[in-house]
Amino acid sequence: MVSIDGVRIRAERIRAISWAQSMDHVYSRTLLMREFLRRAAVVVGDSGPPGWPFCDLVAVVDPSVRADAALVAEVAGAVRGAGQFTPIPETCVAALHGARLAAERAVPWPDPFEPLLLMYERGGAFTFNGAGMIEVDLVGIPRRTPREYLSVAPIASLDAAYLDEADAEFAEKLRARRKPAVPPAAGDGS
């Protein structure tokens, strides 16, 4: 369990997010979104509540657990004021409710909002593409059922060093694919 101050700390963290899109962490942001979806599925199980996957996960568990209404309004207003579309402000509010739940009782699952907030902090929000996929930096992630996300392997770590290394490895793989084929040298008989 965390202290009730965890709700206020999370609110400060959300207010500090720079919502400017960045392509610096494409791979890690995609990993983090998938981890959010996996963890959200652990919370809701097979229920597939309305609004899945960007629903109020805490309301599925216990609708009586709510963060302070004034703090919720302040954070939602700040995120909307930064130009973020629905469901981004709602996910931030749900993260506040999640912190409140963790302050009140031990929960048997890892915090589903931590990877989502890290994703936001590493380069902005997400969108939906024309095919209905969740789009993170032009990478489409299918909107599957909770049951399908339960089988996704968990991310190895949420540590910044691990995420930076994953981004660097991905960038190197992209560079290797883009290298032009070397033409044969003149006079080598080819």
Side-chain angles (χ1 to χ4, degrees), residues 14 18 182-183:
I14 292 167
S18 168
V182 178

Side-chain angles (χ1 to χ4, degrees), residues 110-186:
D111 180 2
F113 302 105
E114 184 61 23
L116 187 64
L117 294 176
L118 284 170
M119 188 206 74
Y120 292 156
E121 290 169 331
R122 292 179 74 81
F126 61 90
T127 60
F128 299 112
N129 68 21
M133 296 180 89
I134 302 161
E135 193 170 279
V136 176
D137 300 332
L138 305 177
V139 176
I141 301 170
R143 292 175 82 173
R144 297 181 175 141
T145 65
R147 177 175 290 186
E148 291 169 301
Y149 273 107
L150 286 171
S151 64
V152 170
I155 194 170
S157 174
L158 297 180
D159 181 69
Y162 171 80
L163 297 171
D164 290 343
E165 184 178 320
D167 284 325
E169 288 175 10
F170 179 72
E172 183 57 38
K173 286 178 185 176
L174 283 179
R175 278 191 292 279
R177 279 194 217 162
R178 292 181 181 151
K179 287 183 181 176
V182 178

Side-chain angles (χ1 to χ4, degrees), residues 34-111:
R34 286 189 178 122
E35 180 63 8
F36 163 74
L37 295 167
R38 185 193 71 77
R39 289 181 180 199
V42 170
V43 173
V44 302
D46 290 338
S47 71
W52 165 262
F54 303 108
C55 57
D56 184 347
L57 299 173
V58 175
V60 173
V61 176
D62 184 346
S64 70
V65 175
R66 302 284 89 185
D68 176 71
L71 188 59
V72 164
E74 182 182 321
V75 167
V79 175
R80 282 189 200 99
Q84 298 307 305
F85 78 103
T86 303
I88 308 305
E90 285 78 4
T91 63
C92 293
V93 167
L96 296 178
H97 297 320
R100 178 63 189 251
L101 180 67
E104 289 187 3
R105 66 180 91 141
V107 293
W109 53 75
D111 180 2

